[in-house]
């Protein structure tokens, strides 16, 4: 089985920007602890459609699980919020 290598910060940020709004919504709700059923109820879509959004988001981000996808989104948000005063 081939191991996935972590994306460099620039590639990861670009991948997060490539997510659709609905994929981002699903990931944010998953980060809050909602299940596919809970996310589906909140967004007015079926749990299967939620899972499809997760599957596509994982593909875009180059990860295997929704937990990894949520972590990528959180890391990208954190990088955006942190000032980098030590950079030239």
């Amino acid at each position: 089985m081939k191991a996935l290598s972590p994306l460099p910060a620039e590639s990861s940020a670009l991948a997060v920007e490539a997510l659709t709004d609905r994929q981002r919504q699903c990931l944010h709700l998953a980060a809050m602890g909602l299940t596919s059923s809970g996310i589906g109820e909140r967004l007015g879509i079926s749990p299967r459609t939620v899972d499809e959004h997760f599957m596509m988001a994982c593909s875009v981000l180059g990860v295997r699980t929704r937990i990894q996808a949520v972590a990528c989104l959180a890391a990208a948000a954190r990088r955006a919020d942190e000032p980098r005063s030590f950079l030239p």
Side-chain angles (χ1 to χ4, degrees):
M1 184 178 294
K2 181 182 166 192
L4 295 176
S5 61
L7 293 171
E10 304 83 34
S11 298
S12 178
L14 291 174
V16 168
E17 289 178 16
L19 293 172
T20 66
D21 289 337
R22 187 62 91 178
Q23 290 166 348
R24 229 181 245 111
Q25 285 175 325
C26 289
L27 291 173
H28 281 295
L29 292 171
M32 293 175 19
L34 274 71
T35 62
S36 293
S37 295
I39 293 168
E41 281 182 34
R42 174 103 31 119
L43 299 178
I45 57 179
S46 75
R48 176 70 182 139
T49 301
V50 172
D51 290 339
E52 290 290 325
H53 288 304
F54 281 129
M55 185 180 69
M56 294 306 298
C58 287
S59 177
V60 167
L61 296 172
V63 297
R64 292 184 185 175
T65 68
R66 75 171 65 191
I67 294 169
Q68 292 171 326
V70 168
C72 284
L73 190 65
R78 183 175 180 183
R79 276 192 298 275
D81 291 342
E82 289 181 351
R84 300 290 183 174
S85 60
F86 58 89
L87 293 176

